[in-house]
Amino acid sequence: MYEENHLLTSLAHQAQQAPDRVFARRAGLPDTSRADLFDGAERIAAALLEAGLNDGDRVAVQVEKSLEAVQLYLGTVLAGGVFLPLNTAYTVSELAYFLGDATPSVVVCDPAKRDAIAPLAPGAHVFDLASDGSGSLMQAAATAGSFTTARRGPDDLAAILYTSGTTGRSKGAMLTHANLLSNAETLRDFWHFTDADVLIHALPIFHSHGLFVATNTALLAGAAVIFMPGFDPEAILDAMPEATAMMGVPTFYTRLLQNTRLTPQTARNMRLFISGSAPLLAETHRQWEAATGHRILERYGMTETNMNTSNPYEGERRAGTVGLPLPGVELRIMADGAEVAPGDIGVIEVRGPNVFKGYWQMPEKTAEELRPDGWLITGDLAVQDADGYVSIVGRAKDLIISGGYNVYPKEVEEAIDDLEGVEESAVIGLPHPDFGEGVVAVVVANGAVTEADIAGALAHCLAKFKQPKHIFMVDELPRNAMGKVQKKELRDRYAGLFATQ
Ligand code: MCA
Ligand code: AMP
């Protein structure tokens, strides 16, 4: 099936072998078989082609999580398009940049946002898709004519996912068919996913974690997913006795640990709990083992690479480490242009079939991070012990990770500094018991500007998860002799802010 299409022929292989086998289970709805999944994807592909999609055209998508949205991903790739998912939290002003930069030929959005979004992509065909599957996309899919699989090879683009930059504008990471397929095959094998698995899928599907790590791996392995609209601890605990695996960000684990229904009995059928996207505290690892009898398997990845390292499936899962380089992924730790000695800190660089093709229309940015010989400079600071286990100890990039979402302080600072009466600002991440890190702004402004003014203004231009949870007004920012703002001093000053929340 779909032999001409490098990624889809593999993702659909299990559907061809066992079309009636369940792919998705959803509360209150009939199960969706693998045949049904790809049937819908084909009809969407036909609708996209009728809307004028050409090979390599971007399909920009900002919709609530639904199975139809998964079919839209598959249908886009089947039709030869490039899937471009966008966080549902993005505001219209954030979307204006993404749509302007990516110049999609098709945009799919929530019906409620259609009037605001359509003018941002002049010339694009706009469909809408609601969380219940209603809207013009599925109407067009229902009546679309015949469909031919697009011919797409390993090196062709399958997706672009935007990641923010430490300076300047967000960058679209270009991922090829081979990038996605090679990583999904590695993860299926390394984590022992088979058609006996039932994966709890509560992650959003606009990022690599929920879209590629969870969905592609399950598709490839022939596994079923319990498909949830979002994270709800009660729903997860209801599903757990029927499930064998779960993937989540650390916030999933800390929140579930607060629920007394989490017991070895609830987790009796589970074989694997995987965590990633942000650091999992060693303490959470220990508490989880005490509560369930399972040792969480922590792994490390990036939008630009999918997954790079993982703790072993069968060997020792070491709390506080992200494990070893995955098969096929080369990893080195560099400082001052050379590899460091074991135990010394440096920046992680990775190379392999998973490493992206570069940033969309940004050759200079690509050249800054992707070396000509294929090594990607990740910006993550780490040490590797004598056994090869990697521990991430910090970031060379100024980045906050809140509940698994990346927040670039520079972007928030620029939005604050643009406000009338603000002189300057520094945005920092502070330890947060629920989100890992919480965003905090420290602002110097004239006396007329209040915290509420700033919060009110940011609500219009920044996604909720980027908005500071606290804003401090100060007379001046601490600086070193070179005049550089000392963020460490600010982090120390406000360190316990979220301790009791
Ligand atoms: C929601 N809020 C947040 C976050 N999520 N604030 C900061 N950080 C967040 N992550 C806001 C809400 O708007 C709300 O604001 C308030 O915080 C509380 O919301 P709550 O209902 O508790 O949030 P939630 O809807 O339960 O969401 C929390 C969540 C979610 C389940 C942790 O953020 C999530 O699904 N995160 C997963 C992110 C992810 O998939 N990352 C993968 C990136 P108010 O109450 O004021 O309205 S891919 C990646 O990183 C690489 C490739 C990798 O390695 O995986
Ligand atoms: P993103 O841009 O959303 O793909 O985020 C990638 C970044 O998330 C990485 O560069 C790391 O800084 C971070 N990250 C992902 N997994 C882990 C992990 N297990 N531990 C620590 N940081 C992680």
Side-chain angles (χ1 to χ4, degrees), residues 273-468:
F273 290 99
I274 302 173
S275 176
S277 307
L280 183 81
L281 295 178
E283 184 55 22
T284 308
H285 196 280
R286 279 189 282 275
Q287 288 172 352
W288 192 265
E289 187 173 13
T292 66
H294 289 273
R295 288 178 74 77
I296 297 172
L297 181 154
E298 186 172 5
R299 58 50 173 193
Y300 154 71
M302 275 178 94
T303 300
E304 288 88 337
T305 61
N306 282 290
M307 299 303 100
N308 293 313
T309 74
S310 172
N311 271 279
Y313 185 76
E314 270 152 354
E316 190 192 348
R317 296 179 197 164
R318 291 192 191 163
T321 82
V322 294
L324 306 140
L326 281 161
V329 179
E330 293 175 84
L331 181 145
R332 65 186 188 190
I333 299 191
M334 303 284 287
D336 301 324
E339 268 191 72
V340 301
D344 285 353
I345 296 177
V347 174
I348 300 179
E349 296 191 9
V350 292
R351 182 165 72 174
N354 57 318
V355 174
F356 77 146
K357 208 174 177 171
Y359 295 112
W360 170 252
Q361 289 181 333
M362 287 189 178
E364 310 81 28
K365 292 275 177 205
T366 303
E368 280 169 25
E369 292 175 37
L370 191 57
R371 298 186 190 279
D373 57 0
W375 287 98
L376 175 75
I377 306 163
T378 65
D380 290 308
L381 293 171
V383 293
Q384 196 169 18
D385 70 15
D387 300 332
Y389 282 73
V390 176
S391 300
I392 296 178
V393 296
R395 298 177 199 127
K397 47 194 175 191
D398 192 11
L399 160 69
I400 300 167
I401 304 184
S402 172
Y405 289 139
N406 289 4
V407 181
Y408 282 85
K410 183 86 185 156
E411 185 186 359
V412 185
E413 288 160 3
E414 280 176 0
I416 297 174
D417 295 351
D418 275 352
L419 302 176
E420 183 80 28
V422 171
E423 265 175 51
E424 59 174 350
S425 61
V427 168
I428 53 173
L430 296 179
H432 190 289
D434 186 30
F435 292 127
E437 289 181 279
V439 178
V440 170
V442 187
V443 181
V444 182
N446 70 32
V449 182
T450 65
E451 290 94 327
D453 294 335
I454 296 172
L458 295 185
H460 293 293
C461 60
L462 292 180
K464 183 94 201 182
F465 68 88
K466 299 180 191 169
Q467 294 169 28

Side-chain angles (χ1 to χ4, degrees), residues 142-158:
T143 56
S146 65
F147 152 80
T148 320
T149 308
R151 183 171 296 282
R152 302 293 274 168
D155 208 32
D156 286 323
L157 291 192

Side-chain angles (χ1 to χ4, degrees), residues 429-498:
L430 296 179
H432 190 289
D434 186 30
F435 292 127
E437 289 181 279
V439 178
V440 170
V442 187
V443 181
V444 182
N446 70 32
V449 182
T450 65
E451 290 94 327
D453 294 335
I454 296 172
L458 295 185
H460 293 293
C461 60
L462 292 180
K464 183 94 201 182
F465 68 88
K466 299 180 191 169
Q467 294 169 28
K469 305 260 180 228
H470 273 276
I471 299 171
F472 291 102
M473 308 303 290
V474 297
D475 291 337
E476 60 179 5
L477 297 176
R479 292 182 185 281
N480 67 10
M482 311 290 288
K484 190 174 179 319
V485 174
Q486 295 301 86
K487 289 199 170 179
K488 174 158 180 350
E489 192 175 322
L490 290 173
R491 282 193 290 268
D492 291 344
R493 189 189 298 172
Y494 300 113
L497 181 69
F498 296 116

Side-chain angles (χ1 to χ4, degrees), residues 23 25 65 193 197-204 209-210 213-215 218 223-249 252-253 256 262 266-267 269-274 288:
F23 171 66
R25 298 188 197 161
K65 187 174 176 181
F193 272 92
D197 274 307
V198 180
L199 175 71
I200 294 176
H201 194 309
L203 287 158
H209 198 166
V213 186
T215 310
V225 295
I226 301 180
F227 197 76
M228 301 181 173
F231 176 82
D232 171 358
E234 298 298 338
I236 287 181
L237 290 162
D238 287 345
M240 204 175 277
E242 311 295 319
T244 64
M246 183 176 87
M247 296 180 188
V249 296
F252 280 25
Y253 291 97
L256 284 165
L262 182 75
T266 322
N269 198 33
M270 294 290 289
R271 66 170 186 86
L272 187 57
F273 290 99
I274 302 173
W288 192 265

